[in-house]
Amino acid sequence: MRKPTLQALLASNPDKKLLFLGREGGFTREEIAHFLKRFTLSVVEAHSEGVVAMIEHHALNPLDEQLSEQLYAQGVPSYPLRVFERLLSEQINDDELLMGIKLSNDQARIHRLLGNGDLSDSLFVKLLRLYEWGDSEEDRREDRDVIIHTLRRYIAIRPNEEDILHSYLTLRQLASEATDSALLMALMGFPNFEFVVRGRAKVTLQETIAQNPAIDAVLVQKLLHHSSVAIDTALAGNRTVALEVLRGLAKKHHPAIDEALAVNPALDTALFERLLRREEQTKALLLVRQPIDSERLASVELAGIEAELFGLMGANEQLSKVVVERLLEQENPTLLCYLGGNRLLSTAQLESLYLRRVAGSAVTLASNPNLSPQRLEELYEQGEEAVAVALASNPALPQGLLRRLFEQESLAINQALASNPALPRELLDILTVDTRLQKALAQNPHLIDAHATALQYEAKEIRR
């Protein structure tokens, strides 16, 4: 006879008994008994009349093992405790559970439930917000468990990567990548850990959350109430933060906040114009990182910015076509040099710029993939090392020129070649043995793709 599903067995055996063998799992016997009331079933831990099924922990002592075998021989079906707990988890009444926990403030129960991977994400987040963390100076096992439960639920890891669940940097990854604003709100309740990122200043958990584009208006207000320059700076650079909030942050006249605002793509023209009156670094960021149309160009010109700083606009790859034409009409050497490297310019525009022979423009023109092959050849023939290095980085450089540059055996040129996706594979393989080029090689898309393929193959082998 085919064994019924556990759900079918529970529904078709009113006033019967379930025999539980082995230790408790994620639910106490009292919680299980409460769940079974809806089926008018009762819990027993010793064999008695009316037992219709066994629920077994994966590890049984010899006596329980013997009893299990006897009852199985008598036709009593057996179900893993894991299967029973999954069924119980799926049928939990969230509101009823949360109400009971709020009334009792049963932290042990919250801790236990957070380890239940079968709970819905919605219920997990609500429980997470009810969890009470220890003092910042404590290192409680329960707190570490909750962090690991959270990471295990939301961060995909391979079997050989369990150690990353014990790294606080993985928590930073979650705070950066989470797309659920409710989860981000729950993470605000965590201790405000500091993360040390190589080559960068320390960043806190709350700053990381403030940078996440998934934060909602309620969370933004919660973050603002911390009155922290670091958090305000993170919010100022967040493209999803409301313009009204960005305007309020601009009123603080803090250089770090201004600089973050200057690179935020959500800036409107009024705020753009206001920031043009701030520090030099803020102005520079506005000119290079913000979209510039005719209206904004007029604002920049009215601001009376000095020629050297104004020239940085030539590097901006968010210039409108009209603005590019206007800028090409100017005689500002800094501006024209930067325009030479700007990929917005057409081959014809670059040709016109090339013929003007602006001092210093050869280097930037040499790096531009839109410059004609004929002009790239002419620049190579100049024999200047700075120009050769720029050419070596150009992904549109003809294969013949790439090989001639490779033959020069110059470290500076090879560093540029190492990151160039156009470099032939046999030459790239030769460069990989030079340890001085590791940083540049790490940026080459061909090597990045090869590394990703190797990781995918490794993961496939592990699954086998």
Side-chain angles (χ1 to χ4, degrees), residues 139-305:
D139 183 22
R140 298 196 312 170
R141 179 186 61 81
E142 293 85 355
D143 292 349
R144 294 196 303 273
D145 288 346
V146 169
I147 293 172
I148 291 172
H149 295 329
T150 304
L151 296 178
R152 189 181 300 281
R153 176 175 285 263
Y154 294 102
I155 298 292
I157 63 168
R158 297 197 297 271
N160 62 339
E161 294 179 334
E162 284 285 317
D163 58 316
I164 72 172
L165 297 177
H166 299 271
S167 169
Y168 286 160
L169 282 177
T170 312
L171 182 60
R172 178 174 181 267
Q173 178 189 345
L174 175 60
S176 300
E177 298 175 357
T179 57
D180 179 9
S181 59
L183 172 59
L184 291 170
M185 182 65 82
L187 293 179
M188 283 291 293
F190 281 47
N192 193 25
F193 296 112
E194 277 192 344
F195 308 109
V196 181
V197 184
R198 185 184 303 173
R200 296 165 62 182
K202 291 181 181 179
V203 60
T204 67
L205 177 61
Q206 290 176 0
E207 289 173 60
T208 306
I209 293 170
Q211 294 169 344
N212 190 313
I215 57 176
D216 60 15
V218 176
L219 185 46
V220 168
Q221 291 304 315
K222 186 177 181 66
L223 287 161
L224 287 171
H225 287 153
H226 283 76
S227 299
S228 160
V229 171
I231 291 176
D232 288 348
T233 301
L235 288 171
N238 191 325
R239 66 180 186 275
T240 61
V241 171
L243 191 56
E244 181 182 354
V245 174
L246 298 182
R247 290 175 182 142
L249 291 169
K251 292 178 181 177
K252 299 193 174 189
H253 290 265
H254 192 285
I257 296 174
D258 289 346
E259 289 168 21
L261 287 168
V263 300
N264 191 327
L267 235 61
D268 68 351
T269 299
L271 196 44
F272 176 90
E273 293 174 352
R274 185 188 304 176
L275 292 171
L276 277 174
R277 299 191 290 270
R278 301 290 169 84
E279 302 292 333
E280 295 291 289
Q281 182 62 22
T282 299
K283 295 176 185 177
L285 290 170
L286 286 170
L287 297 178
V288 175
R289 300 287 295 275
Q290 286 292 317
I292 308 288
D293 57 12
S294 297
E295 183 182 4
R296 288 190 174 186
L297 177 60
S299 299
V300 173
E301 291 172 337
L302 286 173
I305 294 173

Side-chain angles (χ1 to χ4, degrees), residues 69-139:
E69 292 175 1
Q70 291 172 355
L71 293 178
Y72 185 78
Q74 296 172 21
V76 178
S78 171
Y79 300 88
L81 178 63
R82 183 78 184 84
V83 173
F84 177 84
E85 291 191 333
R86 183 181 299 118
L87 178 62
L88 194 162
S89 300
E90 291 170 353
Q91 298 193 27
I92 283 176
N93 182 312
D94 292 7
D95 293 336
E96 181 182 322
L97 173 66
L98 292 168
M99 181 61 71
I101 287 177
K102 288 177 182 178
L103 290 173
S104 64
N105 192 28
D106 188 344
Q107 288 295 309
R109 189 181 184 192
I110 294 173
H111 174 261
R112 178 163 42 81
L113 287 169
L114 287 172
N116 185 341
D118 294 321
L119 297 183
S120 68
D121 287 345
S122 173
L123 179 55
F124 178 85
V125 166
K126 291 172 183 175
L127 289 168
L128 197 56
R129 294 189 65 179
L130 294 176
Y131 179 73
E132 295 178 358
W133 296 85
D135 295 336
S136 57
E137 296 181 0
E138 287 187 83
D139 183 22

Side-chain angles (χ1 to χ4, degrees), residues 304-321:
I305 294 173
E306 62 181 46
E308 194 76 16
L309 186 59
F310 184 95
L312 296 177
M313 203 187 318
N316 189 329
E317 295 193 355
Q318 298 185 78
L319 305 174
S320 72
K321 291 182 179 180

